[in-house]
Amino acid sequence: MVLEDPDVEMIVAEIEVSEHDVETPNGRFHCTMKGVPKGDRPVILTFHDVGLNYKTCWNTLFDHEDMAEIMQHFAVCHVDAPGQHEGANTFSAGYEYPSMDQLAESLPLMGYKKYFLIGFDLCIFQLDYPNMVEGLVLININSCAEGWMDWAAHKISGWTHAEPDMIITHLFGKEEIHHNHDLIATYRHHIMNDMNLFNLHLFVKSYESRRDLEIERPVPGSNARTLKCPSLLVVGDSSPAVEAVVECNTKLDPTKATLLKVRAPLHSLCRPGKLTEAFKYFIQGMGYMPAASMTRLVRSRTASGSSVTSFDGNRSRSHTSEGNRSRSHTNEGSRSRSHTAENPHGRSHTDSSMDTTANNNVDQGVSKSAEVSC
């Protein structure tokens, strides 16, 4: 099933696509590989949300016009959780579905050395295997276990009627559920007809049983449990996950984390142009794709004569002062040259700003983390 969006142009490119299963101690994962790993560059690994699979979660984004350039630089590995891919066989009665921790622990077994992670509930991967993750894009992240499943836990027995609606509530806000009937009907039809409902029920129970991440914002001299790589937290500004994402952002290192609020009433992935633009500048901030072209979103702003106070405008200014800013973060002035040498180790906190506002300082001398709206 393809979820169509008027802002999406399908890309026909010569990218090799292959599908295979990966057996792990925690179950069989279905993987779809697009492209071939390039040298020592990380592979983009995606993991879908509850109630979706890689196609319904990621095709709209990765088929977008501006993602094609990124995919020329990086291979992509789309991972489906056990039993969630199209045509999956039904698990036997009594099958013990892996926990969310076990799912995350299995992802390093996909066979690659370094990753950019994009998806849902991927923090555990980075926390347990920090040296394997170069960058992390988290959609609707909630660092606490409680959430929409608490509201719906008592309805588990009414699976075929209740849980699809619970998943819709998880994906979209109340306003969208009441006003965008066609979109909601499309997702509900997908859940009821394209997913293996028995397998999905097991995945939902696993999600319901997940544990808190127990992360905290580091302070000088502490050894806090936190994400140690550059992180982009993305949420639709009317998503039911907004408060949880904002709260999670307050627990991260402000020099490494950026919060992106997509100004759209839909689930953030329904606005792929904005997310693609953010991701492009995110990976550029780590020294990759220094000569990347403007995204279509920026070109349209420029052509219309609007004021481009976005990622590209701010980054174009940042290149002139990158050395000073890099030295202030790392005391390594040479990192400012990463944008011309495409040095993957010349990474810095994403300096993007779409109407940027800053969070409160944790204490004096600690940089503010960026909150971005687009």
Side-chain angles (χ1 to χ4, degrees):
M1 182 187 72
V2 177
L3 304 180
E4 297 183 353
D5 186 284
D7 293 331
V8 175
E9 292 184 8
M10 302 301 289
I11 302 301
V12 179
E14 296 298 326
I15 296 178
E16 182 179 337
V17 179
S18 62
E19 297 187 39
H20 61 280
D21 291 334
V22 176
E23 292 283 357
T24 77
N26 299 312
R28 178 183 298 171
F29 292 74
H30 186 77
C31 300
T32 302
M33 193 72 190
K34 296 187 176 182
V36 178
K38 297 170 176 59
D40 60 355
R41 294 189 180 190
V43 169
I44 297 173
L45 184 146
T46 72
F47 194 73
H48 56 85
D49 204 353
V50 176
L52 305 176
N53 52 38
Y54 105 79
K55 290 184 178 180
T56 52
C57 191
W58 301 114
N59 270 3
T60 301
L61 176 64
F62 281 86
D63 287 341
H64 190 270
E65 174 187 25
D66 290 323
M67 187 60 78
E69 183 177 17
I70 294 174
M71 295 180 69
Q72 295 300 319
H73 292 264
F74 300 94
V76 179
C77 179
H78 295 296
V79 178
D80 286 315
Q84 308 305 304
H85 60 282
E86 286 187 358
N89 294 326
T90 302
F91 291 124
S92 60
Y95 175 81
E96 185 175 346
Y97 202 84
S99 67
M100 297 304 294
D101 282 11
Q102 290 173 326
L103 291 176
E105 290 166 2
S106 301
L107 295 179
L109 302 177
M110 298 303 110
Y112 307 100
K113 295 180 179 179
K114 290 281 188 179
Y115 295 93
F116 283 133
L117 303 181
I118 305 179
F120 304 79
D121 296 292
L122 289 171
C123 289
I124 297 171
F125 185 164
Q126 203 284 325
L127 291 168
D128 290 347
Y129 303 93
N131 294 331
M132 296 185 70
V133 181
E134 290 217 11
L136 190 58
V137 179
L138 298 167
I139 315 293
N140 296 344
I141 181 64
N142 188 344
S143 61
C144 299
E146 66 220 16
W148 62 279
M149 287 306 301
D150 295 288
W151 166 80
H154 67 282
K155 297 184 179 180
I156 283 289
S157 60
W159 159 246
T160 56
H161 300 290
E163 282 189 344
D165 289 334
M166 290 151 39
I167 292 170
I168 291 296
T169 303
H170 168 65
L171 295 173
F172 301 97
K174 292 181 180 179
E175 179 182 348
E176 225 44 49
I177 291 173
H178 286 107
H179 294 96
N180 201 326
H181 296 157
D182 290 344
L183 181 72
I184 300 305
T186 298
Y187 274 85
R188 183 176 283 110
H189 177 85
H190 154 68
I191 294 167
M192 295 297 298
N193 296 279
D194 300 331
M195 300 294 293
N196 185 309
L197 293 181
F198 181 83
N199 295 354
L200 178 56
H201 172 58
L202 298 180
F203 189 19
V204 168
K205 289 180 67 177
S206 176
Y207 183 86
E208 180 194 5
S209 302
R210 74 196 189 282
R211 62 183 175 90
D212 289 353
L213 293 175
E214 298 179 343
I215 56 176
E216 57 182 315
R217 176 165 286 187
V219 296
S222 73
N223 189 26
R225 174 181 167 89
T226 191
L227 300 177
K228 294 180 172 60
C229 68
S231 303
L232 179 64
L233 282 63
V234 183
V235 64
D237 65 0
S238 62
S239 165
V242 169
E243 291 186 7
V245 176
V246 172
E247 172 66 18
C248 184
N249 188 53
T250 67
K251 300 177 181 180
L252 302 180
D253 184 339
T255 68
K256 296 181 182 294
T258 299
L259 170 61
L260 174 65
K261 289 183 180 179
V262 179
R263 286 188 188 137
L266 305 179
H267 188 270
S268 57
L269 294 179
C270 296
R271 288 295 177 264
K274 295 178 180 179
L275 187 52
T276 303
E277 181 180 8
F279 182 55
K280 178 177 286 189
Y281 293 123
F282 177 68
I283 59 179
Q284 280 188 317
M286 289 180 282
Y288 296 99
M289 298 177 60
S293 61
M294 288 191 300
T295 64
R296 184 177 61 165
L297 192 63
V298 173
R299 291 196 301 271
S300 66
R301 290 197 202 102
T302 305
S304 67
S306 60
S307 175
V308 185
T309 57
S310 62
F311 285 99
D312 66 307
N314 208 41
R315 285 189 59 82
S316 64
R317 292 189 294 273
S318 72
H319 281 286
T320 63
S321 58
E322 181 72 22
N324 291 335
R325 191 174 60 79
S326 295
R327 284 191 293 271
S328 68
H329 282 303
T330 65
N331 294 323
E332 293 178 28
S334 62
R335 292 196 178 191
S336 65
R337 294 190 292 272
S338 65
H339 294 279
T340 57
E342 194 164 353
N343 174 11
H345 301 294
R347 60 178 73 118
S348 63
H349 158 239
T350 304
D351 51 321
S352 51
S353 165
M354 287 187 175
D355 303 327
T356 303
T357 59
N359 295 339
N360 294 330
N361 280 343
V362 179
D363 56 39
Q364 223 172 1
V366 178
S367 300
K368 297 177 179 179
S369 61
E371 180 177 324
V372 180
S373 297
C374 66

